[in-house]
Amino acid sequence: MRKTMFSAMAAWIIPLVIFCLAACKKNAPAPAASAAAKGLSKMDVIKGPFGSLPDGTAVEIYTLTNKNGLKARIMTFGAILVSLEVPDRTGRPGDIVLGYDALDGYVKNNPYFGAIVGRYGNRIAKGRFTLGAVTYKLAVNNGENHLHGGLKGFDKVVWDAEPRLEEDGVGVKFTYLSKDGEEGYPGNLEVMVHYALTNDDELRIGYEAATDKPTPVNLTHHSYFNLGGGAKDILGHELMLAADRYTAVDKGLIPTGELTPVKGTPMDFTTATAIGSRIAKVEGGYDHNYVLNKPDVAMGMAARLADPVSGRIMEIHTTEPGIQFYSGNFLDGAITGKGGRVYKKHFGLCLETQHFPDSPNHPNFPSTILSPGRVLKSLTIHKFFTK
Ligand code: BGC
């Protein structure tokens, strides 16, 4: 895996400014111009600058457009999905993820908007776990616990990027080497995250990782979705989660180890239900890992989110065993995001496909320990349509 990852990266050291299907295939002019001239929809990957970090490191942004005009912009800082434009039922495009207009906001104050989260998504109790004879101590950044990879998780590093022609769309592969000891984790971990936007309106996020020492790994994507475009909260969105149980948590949001049935409680989303209809009965709002009904590593249905106003629907399928439903409880109006929008409580929601929180301390949960010689593979598909 290491060889293929680095040889692939080397091939892209050539400074490509614009990468496009038509130009690569037929040596033709950039498709933006040629397709527009012919009145055809364009499908391409365009690379551009997105500012630089305080230390001067340049950050790039890739714009993926599919043939139906869906558009995803993803930057090298945090492999963050900066915007995702999807048409509503009248065909009018709208950006359905929260975030900032410029890099600065993401650097200064980002509650994981659009980010790839790792080495371990969600919490590890007291930032501590034991592997074999060794107890590891991770960076603690959420009360006494470790959250989303620590003080400088994968959401705050600059990834290498390689634009991709996909069989059925366009994509970008991001790679990052997380060094032995980073945030307290053992082993050099090579990580690859592959975003693809397909012509049947799927945003696919594929993950691969390999290590040289056993280490916990739990990779996820942390977009805050608002299918209405972000002008109001998501309490009217209807959610279905293909899960009969969730992992019960204590006050610090650490799993107790119990898999609790949702039936007959406000946690039950087995049939489509408006998020706001019972949220007041859930202390603090929804911030729970749901145990998907499908077999652990099989691709299967996880969630369906619908906004009755815009008609936009997003369906999530994954190979992961769980999904964190977080209803944007900690948004409190302190962040002014894209287009000057103030993000108040519940203005976005996250549906993070994942292994269960704190798995390294729960032998009864599906294992998150990656061993040398093995390659972690995971895939999550977001499918968009309207009604
Ligand atoms: C967690 C929340 C956390 C949020 C933003 C979610 O994945 O479950 O508890 O506040 O991320 O950090």
Side-chain angles (χ1 to χ4, degrees):
M1 156 111 175
R2 178 174 295 178
K3 273 191 198 135
T4 49
M5 205 175 254
F6 286 123
S7 54
M9 277 159 54
W12 281 99
I13 290 169
I14 316 149
L16 279 180
V17 178
I18 295 179
F19 174 89
C20 59
L21 276 178
C24 290
K25 276 189 177 159
K26 302 179 200 155
N27 207 14
S34 57
K38 289 182 197 151
L40 299 174
S41 61
K42 62 178 179 155
M43 179 178 84
D44 57 19
V45 186
I46 296 172
K47 176 182 171 183
F50 199 58
S52 48
L53 299 179
D55 70 0
T57 309
V59 172
E60 262 89 45
I61 193 158
Y62 289 81
T63 303
L64 318 185
T65 310
N66 81 356
K67 74 172 173 36
N68 304 321
L70 270 74
K71 194 183 278 188
R73 290 163 63 239
I74 311 155
M75 67 164 150
T76 51
F77 180 70
I80 289 173
L81 177 67
V82 172
S83 63
L84 180 59
E85 281 177 39
V86 175
D88 66 10
R89 68 160 74 81
T90 68
R92 213 175 50 176
D95 184 0
I96 60 155
V97 293
L98 307 191
Y100 293 101
D101 290 320
L103 178 62
D104 192 52
Y106 288 100
V107 174
K108 290 195 177 135
N109 183 19
N110 184 12
Y112 304 93
F113 287 149
I116 292 300
V117 171
R119 194 177 289 199
Y120 199 97
N122 214 283
R123 292 171 178 80
I124 295 181
K126 301 195 169 73
R128 204 184 292 148
F129 64 93
T130 303
L131 277 182
V134 185
T135 295
Y136 292 92
K137 191 77 193 75
L138 303 174
V140 158
N141 61 327
N142 187 249
E144 58 176 8
N145 301 319
H146 175 89
L147 174 69
H148 292 336
L151 297 166
K152 190 174 178 187
F154 294 177
D155 58 296
K156 296 179 189 70
V157 301
V158 175
W159 296 63
D160 287 308
E162 175 199 335
R164 303 261 310 170
L165 291 173
E166 311 290 343
E167 219 170 87
D168 53 350
V170 283
V172 188
K173 266 193 181 183
F174 291 95
T175 48
Y176 174 64
L177 172 65
S178 168
K179 298 240 175 79
D180 190 4
E182 190 175 283
E183 301 297 305
Y185 287 101
N188 291 295
L189 185 78
E190 290 179 80
V191 193
M192 188 275 291
V193 175
H194 179 190
Y195 284 90
L197 186 62
T198 70
N199 287 325
D200 51 3
D201 298 345
E202 290 178 355
L203 178 70
R204 296 169 157 250
I205 310 177
Y207 305 83
E208 281 186 29
T211 183
D212 58 6
K213 283 185 194 164
T215 179
V217 186
N218 190 23
L219 303 170
T220 189
H221 174 78
H222 207 293
S223 271
Y224 287 64
F225 294 99
N226 184 319
L227 299 183
K232 66 186 282 279
D233 64 49
I234 49 77
L235 297 177
H237 284 33
E238 288 161 9
L239 179 65
M240 188 285 294
L241 294 171
D244 293 337
R245 295 170 301 166
Y246 68 101
T247 48
V249 285
D250 66 15
K251 288 254 179 279
L253 298 177
I254 298 295
T256 59
E258 194 195 330
L259 306 184
T260 307
V262 296
K263 205 173 167 56
T265 78
M267 301 297 290
D268 190 351
F269 286 93
T270 50
T271 55
T273 309
I275 291 168
S277 64
R278 300 162 308 181
I279 197 167
K281 295 185 185 141
V282 180
E283 204 187 330
Y286 296 101
D287 194 355
H288 298 83
N289 171 67
Y290 281 75
V291 178
L292 296 172
N293 293 336
K294 67 183 187 58
D296 280 359
V297 291
M299 173 57 78
M301 177 66 137
R304 191 172 207 260
L305 182 69
D307 171 31
V309 180
S310 66
R312 291 189 187 95
I313 296 173
M314 175 176 73
E315 221 171 74
I316 299 182
H317 295 246
T318 188
T319 56
E320 287 296 309
I323 190 164
Q324 184 83 14
F325 168 36
Y326 168 58
S327 52
N329 314 320
F330 298 114
L331 296 173
D332 59 3
I335 291 180
T336 300
K338 293 177 200 171
R341 287 228 162 103
V342 176
Y343 296 143
K344 298 187 204 134
K345 197 168 182 175
H346 309 312
F347 263 50
L349 71 107
C350 304
L351 290 166
E352 304 152 66
T353 54
Q354 61 182 6
H355 274 57
F356 306 168
D358 200 29
S359 294
N361 295 309
H362 294 276
N364 58 320
F365 289 177
S367 174
T368 50
I369 306 303
L370 180 66
S371 300
R374 304 200 66 121
V375 176
L376 173 154
K377 287 190 181 178
S378 170
L379 176 65
T380 293
I381 299 172
H382 302 76
K383 167 105 185 136
F384 296 97
F385 47 99
T386 57
K387 196 175 150 194

